[in-house]
Amino acid sequence: QSVLTQPPSASRTPGQRVTISCSGSSSNIGSNTVNWYQQLPGTAPKLLIYSNNQRPSGVPDRFSGSKSGTSASLAISGLQSEDEADYYCAAWDDSLNGWVFGGGTKLTVL
Amino acid sequence: QLQLQESGPGLVKPSETLSLTCTVSGGSISSNSDYWGWIRQPPGKGLEWIGSIYYSGSTYYNPSLKSRVTISVDTSKNQFSLKVSSVTAADTAVYHCARTTVDVRRYYYMDVWGKGTTVTVSS
């Protein structure tokens, strides 16, 4: 049972847009920033979005993040087959005094 | 650029202690703005933060693992290490080390990850 809640799966066709949600509480998302990671099969997680909506150098602007209250979202537009991966949200939790992750969302691009 | 590499035994017997080391290259583990941490991923499951350490030795641990986990740092070798005691099959996972850094607004995030090493707990 993850502290942050994500839908387990999402499915779209190439070119479409998808939004992945991440729900938390006042002790994590409500009071700290959210980071998003992309994990391709058999590889390490890769930072996709940090500080709610910032893209690291090299991440396409098709990826965007937002936060409102105790929830956050990752949006991917113009889906491509190489976007097929697991996506995780993460935030610092002030009550646990540590990092918490969402359970992950498996994105399928048909 | 900064790289992290995990190393250690791939097989540990139940009740024994799991020991892993993360070697940092292309940068200094003594950076004032960075923390160094461990994250694990059981087969087919999600990510779980284990704990983090600052170069000075101050640590943060996942409360659910705190009684069994020790993270230490060796600045002379640019390495930090993980020990998990009294392991069971539930500790079988891919173990990643990662850097936590901070942006200009003092928001933290894990940005560089090691490729991970698989640890199996079995007799």
Side-chain angles (χ1 to χ4, degrees):
Chain A
Q1 191 89 356
S2 301
V3 174
L4 305 181
T5 301
Q6 296 180 235
S9 63
S11 179
R12 297 289 187 276
T13 58
Q16 285 190 318
R17 172 187 171 93
V18 66
T19 300
I20 297 171
S21 62
C22 176
S23 178
S25 67
S26 58
S27 63
N28 41 66
I29 294 179
S31 50
N32 296 295
T33 56
V34 178
N35 308 313
W36 289 90
Y37 299 89
Q38 177 193 59
Q39 187 175 34
L40 299 171
T43 69
K46 169 192 170 185
L47 180 66
L48 207 58
I49 297 288
Y50 67 97
S51 303
N52 299 333
N53 54 18
Q54 303 297 302
R55 280 187 310 276
S57 173
V59 173
D61 59 7
R62 301 187 296 107
F63 296 89
S64 62
S66 63
K67 187 186 101 167
S68 179
T70 58
S71 294
S73 293
L74 171 71
I76 312 172
S77 61
L79 277 169
Q80 301 175 3
S81 57
E82 54 261 40
D83 297 331
E84 193 162 285
D86 293 324
Y87 293 85
Y88 293 91
C89 57
W92 182 263
D93 190 295
D94 292 334
S95 295
L96 298 175
N97 211 28
W99 289 100
V100 290
F101 288 92
T105 298
K106 183 175 186 62
L107 175 63
T108 301
V109 182
L110 300 168
Chain B
Q1 77 274 22
L2 190 77
Q3 292 185 317
L4 282 67
Q5 178 69 57
E6 306 87 351
S7 59
L11 181 64
V12 181
K13 290 182 168 55
S15 80
E16 295 190 343
T17 296
L18 177 164
S19 297
L20 297 175
T21 296
C22 181
T23 301
V24 178
S25 59
S28 174
I29 203 169
S30 300
S31 166
N32 286 337
S33 59
D34 299 334
Y35 283 78
W36 308 91
W38 290 95
I39 302 95
R40 71 181 183 179
Q41 186 169 28
K45 295 187 178 181
L47 302 168
E48 179 181 37
W49 173 75
I50 300 171
S52 299
I53 191 166
Y54 193 54
Y55 78 93
S56 63
S58 61
T59 52
Y60 296 89
Y61 294 129
N62 186 325
S64 68
L65 297 169
K66 188 174 183 177
S67 63
R68 299 193 295 125
V69 169
T70 302
I71 297 177
S72 58
V73 64
D74 186 336
T75 55
S76 67
K77 294 182 178 178
N78 230 31
Q79 294 176 335
F80 61 105
S81 298
L82 170 71
K83 291 187 186 299
V84 181
S85 63
S86 306
V87 298
T88 69
D91 295 307
T92 294
V94 175
Y95 285 75
H96 296 276
C97 54
R99 179 182 75 169
T100 298
T101 194
V102 61
D103 72 5
V104 294
R105 295 173 293 174
R106 306 298 298 171
Y107 297 142
Y108 285 86
Y109 55 97
M110 293 179 229
D111 65 335
V112 180
W113 293 61
K115 291 181 179 180
T117 186
T118 299
V119 177
T120 301
V121 178
S122 175
S123 55

